[in-house]
Amino acid sequence: MAPPPESTTNGTRVAPTPKSPARTPVPTLHDHLTAHLDAAARAWLGQALGEAAEQPGIHGPISVWELRLAEAGRRCGAEYADAARVLILHAARAGTDALNRVYSQGTAAERRAVLHALPHLVPGPEAVPLVEDALRTNDTRLLSAAVGPYAARHLTPHHWRHAVLKCLFTGVPVAEVADLDRRARADAELARMLADYAAERTAAGRPVPEDLHRVLTLTDPTATPPAPAAEHGPRGTDGKES
């Protein structure tokens, strides 16, 4: 599939808006924000990233970069806040302990940023409890972030199937589920769960979500297998040390 066309601003080409901070390499996120933020926001972001790089990890009751996470929405605007927070977490080289602290003490927006940052920062399954916690909520934006590349890579089949069902229950588009085609293919147990859910909806006189039919089709073992997903090792999606 061809990449989306570049847009233009005052005759200058800028990269298309990244689909998700979790699925976008860190350098691309940075370039996108640099191209779209105004001068004041760019200056603030540069300072925040510099502070995070100079004092990575967690220090004392709160680190300076944790304060910057709280400011990101006001400084960069809601449209760019998720990406800005992911960049700050990456610059701070936030490990599992730091991510746990931000997630447990942060706002819903900060929790969402942690979930988006996981595939860039955590190579192993240590942060799965954060994903599982998010999947217990009914916050659709948090759920969308929880079913990203990190969940696709590390959730057990049982928990991943229930994550797909949770999306159907809450109206989160299954397009948000990373690596859906590969993980759903030939999954007979997922097919059974989807069929049961469809039967319950039909018996209750309620419509069956169109997304359910899409996922059910993907469980067909005769379907053409998708290309394997790119593996991102401990260096993250941008090929740099995390």
Side-chain angles (χ1 to χ4, degrees):
M1 180 181 296
E6 293 180 334
S7 58
T8 59
T9 302
N10 297 326
T12 301
R13 290 188 178 278
V14 295
T17 302
K19 182 165 66 171
S20 161
R23 306 190 198 194
T24 306
V26 168
T28 303
L29 281 181
H30 187 273
D31 290 348
H32 182 76
L33 261 64
T34 299
H36 288 79
L37 295 177
D38 62 27
R42 283 198 305 273
W44 176 85
L45 180 64
Q47 179 181 346
L49 295 178
E51 291 168 342
E54 289 171 5
Q55 293 189 331
I58 50 179
H59 305 276
I62 192 165
S63 300
V64 64
W65 56 265
E66 293 178 79
L67 297 174
R68 303 297 171 250
L69 292 177
E71 296 175 12
R74 176 166 53 88
R75 297 285 192 168
C76 298
E79 182 179 359
Y80 303 114
D82 281 352
R85 291 187 177 106
V86 169
L87 290 177
I88 293 168
L89 288 166
H90 188 268
R93 302 192 287 281
T96 306
D97 287 346
L99 294 169
N100 273 312
R101 183 162 94 172
V102 172
Y103 186 91
S104 64
Q105 299 179 1
T107 63
E110 290 161 20
R111 291 183 173 197
R112 188 170 64 248
V114 167
L115 295 168
H116 283 312
L118 292 181
H120 300 297
L121 291 169
V122 185
E126 309 92 277
V128 163
L130 298 182
V131 175
E132 293 175 344
D133 180 84
L135 291 171
R136 287 191 286 269
T137 75
N138 288 315
D139 181 331
T140 55
R141 296 188 69 188
L142 206 60
L143 291 171
S144 294
V147 292
Y150 188 82
R153 203 179 303 160
H154 295 298
L155 277 186
T156 64
H158 173 79
H159 286 99
W160 185 83
R161 293 179 190 118
H162 281 277
V164 173
L165 284 176
K166 186 66 175 277
C167 289
L168 295 172
F169 295 156
T170 58
V172 172
V174 295
E176 300 291 338
V177 181
D179 216 3
L180 176 66
D181 290 12
R182 179 186 66 83
R183 289 210 60 167
R185 184 176 182 272
D187 189 333
E189 177 60 15
L190 178 59
R192 182 196 65 77
M193 294 167 69
L194 293 170
D196 287 349
Y197 178 52
E200 291 173 6
R201 300 275 299 187
T202 301
R206 304 177 67 185
V208 176
E210 186 62 34
D211 270 356
L212 186 147
H213 296 296
R214 179 191 166 191
V215 182
L216 192 57
T217 299
L218 292 174
T219 64
D220 180 358
T222 65
T224 302
E231 286 294 328
H232 303 306
R235 292 177 179 269
T237 60
D238 60 352
K240 296 181 180 180
E241 289 287 355
S242 299

